[in-house]
Amino acid sequence: AQKVTQAQTEISVVEKEDVTLDCVYETRDTTYYLFWYKQPPSGELVFLIRRNSFDEQNEISGRYSWNFQKSTSSFNFTITASQVVDSAVYFCALSEVPGTASKLTFGTGTRLQVTL
Amino acid sequence: EAGVTQFPSHSVIEKGQTVTLRCDPISGHDNLYWYRRVMGKEIKFLLHFVKESKQDESGMPNNRFLAERTGGTYSTLKVQPAELEDSGVYFCASSPTSSYNEQFFGPGTRLTVL
């Protein structure tokens, strides 16, 4: 069975601080996808990134970066120089069978509060 | 292009009543998913449609939940009769056939059963 663990329930930082959101996953599949979604106060889940299990290269997109390490089954998300607009709930997710449509297994989410 | 829409945004009902949630996926998306988040817990998969067919309904909690997708367009999720533990936020998501699992989510319907 697949499982995603986000041990940090809530994180509070001051604007401009860097923050890392942890994600640890379990799966018996050798091929899978990992995702991060953002849920702002408006409620919808916004897709941030998808990572194939064969690609362990870290990715950077502006102030966002992701560190995928298969050896520790982790897919951590770092926001550099956080801003108030980054305040949201962030979900890590896992899906099996890349290339076909399949369900996502989510973690419980980490609520990030960025204050001035 | 319009995103995934869900109606209603909020619903408050009493235990034993019936509620129907609606999801309109992005036009042309064959895949439609329902998920639910009970407060503070993870978002859990309920079921997956490919066009009008149920591809995977392994997450449906019990037979009080009925999902349909007539004509492969919008979908409804009916809860009858509702119980207290059905309270939560119900999300709908859609994806095109070739999306490699990127799912586009709606804003959710917050259901409160009193």
Side-chain angles (χ1 to χ4, degrees), chain A residues 27-85:
Chain A
T27 180
R28 289 183 215 165
D29 298 318
T30 55
T31 56
Y32 49 89
Y33 274 119
L34 294 163
F35 301 79
W36 276 94
Y37 280 85
K38 174 182 180 180
Q39 185 185 31
S42 53
E44 78 279 12
L45 291 165
V46 178
F47 168 81
L48 294 179
I49 189 171
R50 175 185 63 241
R51 172 61 72 216
N52 184 314
S53 57
F54 291 120
D55 182 3
E56 287 194 68
Q57 197 169 15
N58 291 334
E59 181 154 342
I60 298 174
S61 176
R63 296 183 297 105
Y64 295 171
S65 62
W66 290 270
N67 183 341
F68 175 29
Q69 292 196 346
K70 269 178 116 167
S71 60
T72 56
S73 297
S74 65
F75 186 44
N76 296 337
F77 173 30
T78 297
I79 301 174
T80 303
S82 60
Q83 299 176 2
V84 172
V85 293

Side-chain angles (χ1 to χ4, degrees), chain A residues 37 95 99-102 104 108, chain B residues 33 35 37 45 91 100-101 103:
Chain A
Y37 280 85
S95 77
T100 65
S102 63
L104 297 174
T108 50
Chain B
Y33 307 81
Y35 293 86
R37 187 184 191 210
F45 167 79
F91 291 100
Y100 292 91
N101 292 334
Q103 297 177 20

Side-chain angles (χ1 to χ4, degrees), chain B residues 18-60:
Chain B
T18 297
V19 63
T20 300
L21 313 181
R22 173 171 170 145
C23 168
D24 286 78
I26 294 172
S27 177
H29 282 193
D30 288 340
N31 295 292
L32 188 150
Y33 307 81
W34 283 97
Y35 293 86
R36 176 175 73 173
R37 187 184 191 210
V38 174
M39 190 182 333
K41 300 200 171 180
E42 72 271 29
I43 300 170
K44 277 195 171 180
F45 167 79
L46 296 178
L47 88 159
H48 169 206
F49 284 100
V50 177
K51 297 184 180 178
E52 66 275 10
S53 300
K54 291 177 184 174
Q55 179 79 11
D56 181 355
E57 52 184 326
S58 61
M60 293 289 264

Side-chain angles (χ1 to χ4, degrees), chain B:
Chain B
E1 181 182 314
V4 176
T5 58
Q6 294 186 244
F7 182 83
S9 56
H10 292 85
S11 180
V12 180
I13 61 173
E14 296 197 349
K15 176 182 171 180
Q17 290 186 323
T18 297
V19 63
T20 300
L21 313 181
R22 173 171 170 145
C23 168
D24 286 78
I26 294 172
S27 177
H29 282 193
D30 288 340
N31 295 292
L32 188 150
Y33 307 81
W34 283 97
Y35 293 86
R36 176 175 73 173
R37 187 184 191 210
V38 174
M39 190 182 333
K41 300 200 171 180
E42 72 271 29
I43 300 170
K44 277 195 171 180
F45 167 79
L46 296 178
L47 88 159
H48 169 206
F49 284 100
V50 177
K51 297 184 180 178
E52 66 275 10
S53 300
K54 291 177 184 174
Q55 179 79 11
D56 181 355
E57 52 184 326
S58 61
M60 293 289 264
N62 52 62
N63 59 9
R64 295 185 294 102
F65 289 74
L66 174 64
E68 294 180 325
R69 191 182 182 193
T70 307
T73 55
Y74 71 91
S75 174
T76 57
L77 179 65
K78 181 191 285 189
V79 185
Q80 179 183 29
E83 298 289 343
L84 299 178
E85 63 264 25
D86 300 333
S87 295
V89 180
Y90 290 77
F91 291 100
C92 176
S94 72
S95 68
T97 305
S98 60
S99 71
Y100 292 91
N101 292 334
E102 179 181 338
Q103 297 177 20
F104 297 85
F105 281 79
T109 293
R110 182 176 294 279
L111 174 64
T112 301
V113 182
L114 302 175

